[in-house]
């Protein structure tokens, strides 16, 4: 009589054998998450129209060419999609081995911002001007690096089967590596990016299965750090004024509260269906500053109305929903943690960007993913989509 023993296979066991390879029947195109991909493309397309509407009459910005920002936004989207394809081709596991190099490169780039190579744009010394009218914001790519380096450390022993959850020493190493670039970005100061990075770290820890003591400690450290930064005067005056205007919208309606007030007027005037593309009085009259970047959602609210603004929210929701599904269905902790970090990034940045236009969040200078004008942001979010697609492509699929 033979006895059969059943073994429970860990959800995070790495994929091996023929399941890890694509067959002719189970092709790459079949494995892609098309709802996510099409939603991201639709957001970028809508963004191109909104950016065009916001800048076609801005002769002081578009150098006399009404199509200047439209062309660049479409070009940035094209480059971003190419980066996504390259990321899928390389695979998130290949990039896992290159994380030390990517991390070092990120540190070098953000340190370069603090040298004479850095440039100040909209009050933040967070850019490197590369010429030809183009500039690079390294902090956008640091978001990806933090996700990858923390995922690599936290998942290593779990995916190897040596641990069920990351131990305290591993968590401490991961947090230290994340804190270094965040500290440098804070020196710029780029408070908005640091806020996003802090949420990313929190999301990564929660997904990794780390002890709740680390999560609670991180939240406490964040609160203490905010108090300390304020007490030491590390924030610039314009950043302090933004928080003051958020706490009291009537504080200086013609000064620090001007952006938020004009944004709410623009969105409120749109009604259900909006004034029509290119027909918004606030947009045409150029009353809302930075409308092609941080305040692009106001164009949607005014010209496309509640329906158009709701469509943007719906498409962002689809991207997040599909990302959550990928995080849940992957068979390795590394993929789960990477997906969770991207979810935390997209969700918080979208909420902050839209919230500041509605007056429910302080102005933090964060772009709306896929929609706002900006090369660095566009490249980074499409690389993130590539990572999510790679995680889905390389997991086993049921018949």
């Amino acid at each position: 009589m033979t006895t059969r023993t059943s073994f429970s296979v860990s959800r995070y066991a790495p994929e091996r054998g023929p399941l890890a390879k694509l067959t002719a029947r189970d092709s790459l195109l079949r494995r892609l998450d098309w709802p996510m991909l099409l939603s991201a493309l639709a957001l970028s397309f809508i963004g191109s129209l909104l950016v065009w509407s916001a800048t076609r009459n801005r002769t002081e910005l578009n150098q006399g060419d009404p199509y200047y920002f439209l062309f660049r936004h479409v070009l940035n989207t094209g480059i971003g999609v190419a980066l996504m394809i390259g990321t899928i081709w390389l695979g998130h596991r290949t990039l896992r081995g290159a994380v030390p190099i990517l991390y070092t490169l990120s540190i070098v780039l953000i340190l370069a911002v603090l040298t004479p190579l850095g440039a100040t744009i909209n009050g933040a010394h967070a850019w490197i001007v590369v010429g030809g009218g183009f500039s690079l914001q390294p902090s956008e790519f640091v978001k990806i690096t933090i996700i990858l380096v923390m995922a690599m450390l936290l998942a290593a022993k779990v995916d190897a089967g040596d641990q069920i959850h990351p131990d305290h020493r591993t968590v401490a190493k991961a947090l230290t590596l994340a804190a270094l670039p965040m500290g440098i970005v804070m020196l710029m100061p780029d408070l908005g990016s640091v806020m996003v990075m802090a949420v990313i770290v929190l999301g990564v820890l929660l997904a990794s299965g780390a002890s709740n003591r680390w999560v609670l400690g991180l939240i406490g450290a964040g609160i203490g750090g905010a108090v300390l930064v304020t007490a030491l005067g590390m924030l610039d005056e314009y950043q302090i004024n933004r928080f003051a205007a958020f706490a009291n919208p009537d504080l200086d309606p013609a000064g620090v509260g001007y952006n938020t007030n004009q944004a709410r007027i623009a969105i409120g005037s749109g009604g259900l269906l909006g004034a029509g593309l290119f027909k918004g009085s606030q947009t045409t009259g150029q009353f809302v500053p930075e409308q092609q970047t941080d305040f692009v959602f106001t164009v949607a609210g005014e010209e496309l109305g509640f329906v158009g603004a709701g469509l943007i929210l719906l498409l962002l929701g689809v991207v997040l929903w599909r990302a959550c599904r990928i995080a849940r269905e992957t068979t390795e902790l590394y993929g789960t943690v990477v997906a969770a970090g991207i979810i935390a990034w997209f969700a918080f940045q979208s909420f902050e960007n839209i919230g500041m236009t509605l007056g429910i969040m302080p102005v933090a200078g964060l772009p709306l993913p896929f929609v706002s004008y900006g090369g660095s942001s566009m490249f980074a979010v499409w690389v993130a989509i590539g990572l999510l697609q790679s995680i889905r492509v390389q997991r086993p699929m049921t018949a």
Side-chain angles (χ1 to χ4, degrees):
M1 179 178 178
T2 59
T3 303
R4 297 183 62 185
T5 305
S6 61
F7 296 89
S8 61
V9 180
S10 169
R11 173 177 176 238
Y12 298 118
E15 303 153 23
R16 296 183 177 89
L19 285 175
K21 297 180 180 180
L22 301 181
T23 64
R25 176 176 173 272
D26 193 16
S27 66
L28 172 63
L29 291 179
R30 177 173 176 262
R31 284 179 167 244
L32 289 176
D33 193 307
W34 285 102
M36 171 189 288
L37 181 56
L38 293 176
S39 295
L41 286 170
L43 284 167
S44 293
F45 173 74
I46 293 172
S48 66
L49 296 178
L50 300 181
V51 168
W52 186 19
S53 178
T55 60
R56 62 194 183 93
N57 294 324
R58 300 292 297 270
T59 55
E60 77 281 9
L61 297 177
N62 62 25
Q63 303 180 17
D65 180 4
Y67 301 99
Y68 179 84
F69 282 94
L70 172 64
F71 171 77
R72 291 192 168 217
H73 189 85
V74 173
L75 176 62
N76 289 337
T77 301
I79 295 173
V81 171
L83 290 172
M84 178 200 69
I85 294 172
T87 302
I88 297 172
W89 180 75
L90 285 173
H92 66 290
R93 293 180 185 148
T94 301
L95 290 174
R96 183 177 189 170
V99 166
I101 298 174
L102 296 175
Y103 181 82
T104 303
L105 181 60
S106 295
I107 296 296
V108 171
L109 285 174
I110 55 178
L111 284 174
V113 174
L114 301 178
T115 70
L117 294 175
T120 300
I121 299 178
N122 296 331
H125 192 77
W127 304 80
I128 297 175
V129 177
V130 295
F134 291 93
S135 57
L136 181 70
Q137 189 177 10
S139 58
E140 289 293 334
F141 303 102
V142 171
K143 298 171 187 174
I144 299 174
T145 304
I146 288 177
I147 293 171
L148 292 177
V149 73
M150 291 191 70
M152 179 190 71
L153 287 172
L154 295 171
K157 293 182 180 180
V158 177
D159 284 339
D162 298 332
Q163 294 177 351
I164 299 177
H165 303 296
D167 56 37
H168 293 303
R169 186 175 181 181
T170 301
V171 175
K173 287 181 179 178
L175 289 177
T176 300
L177 288 177
L180 177 58
M182 289 174 64
I184 298 173
V185 173
M186 192 66 212
L187 294 175
M188 295 179 180
D190 186 356
L191 183 60
S193 293
V194 173
M195 291 168 58
V196 176
M197 293 173 194
V199 173
I200 286 173
V201 171
L202 183 61
V204 165
L205 282 184
L206 288 170
S208 70
S211 171
N212 288 335
R213 285 180 291 177
W214 283 104
V215 177
L216 294 174
L218 182 64
I219 294 174
I223 296 173
V227 174
L228 183 63
V229 165
T230 304
L232 294 178
M234 295 179 64
L235 297 179
D236 283 349
E237 184 178 358
Y238 81 93
Q239 292 174 319
I240 297 174
N241 290 339
R242 283 178 174 178
F243 282 99
F246 167 69
N248 182 9
D250 298 324
L251 179 65
D252 186 9
V256 295
Y258 178 80
N259 289 17
T260 303
N261 289 333
Q262 293 299 321
R264 284 185 291 184
I265 292 172
I267 293 175
S269 66
L272 180 63
L273 299 177
L277 193 63
F278 309 132
K279 297 180 181 179
S281 58
Q282 290 289 112
T283 300
T284 303
Q286 305 173 19
F287 291 107
V288 184
E290 306 302 330
Q291 204 170 13
Q292 76 276 15
T293 53
D294 300 346
F295 288 90
V296 70
F297 191 74
T298 62
V299 186
E302 181 182 29
E303 299 189 345
L304 305 181
F306 178 81
V307 173
L311 176 60
I312 291 176
L313 292 176
L314 176 63
L315 292 171
L316 287 169
V318 171
V319 172
L320 291 172
W321 163 52
R322 301 304 296 185
C324 287
R325 186 169 179 173
I326 289 171
R328 186 179 67 250
E329 294 179 351
T330 185
T331 57
E332 57 183 357
L333 181 59
Y334 175 70
T336 297
V337 173
V338 170
I342 295 171
I343 292 167
W345 165 15
F346 284 7
F348 177 77
Q349 189 161 314
S350 298
F351 177 77
E352 165 61 32
N353 177 276
I354 295 172
M356 71 184 188
T357 64
L358 299 175
I360 61 174
M361 291 293 286
V363 176
L366 292 173
L368 184 59
F370 304 102
V371 181
S372 293
Y373 174 79
S376 299
S377 174
M378 186 69 77
F379 303 159
V381 294
W382 277 106
V383 169
I385 292 294
L387 287 170
L388 290 170
Q389 295 285 1
S390 172
I391 294 167
R392 175 178 167 83
V393 164
Q394 294 191 23
R395 71 172 175 84
M397 295 186 72
T398 57

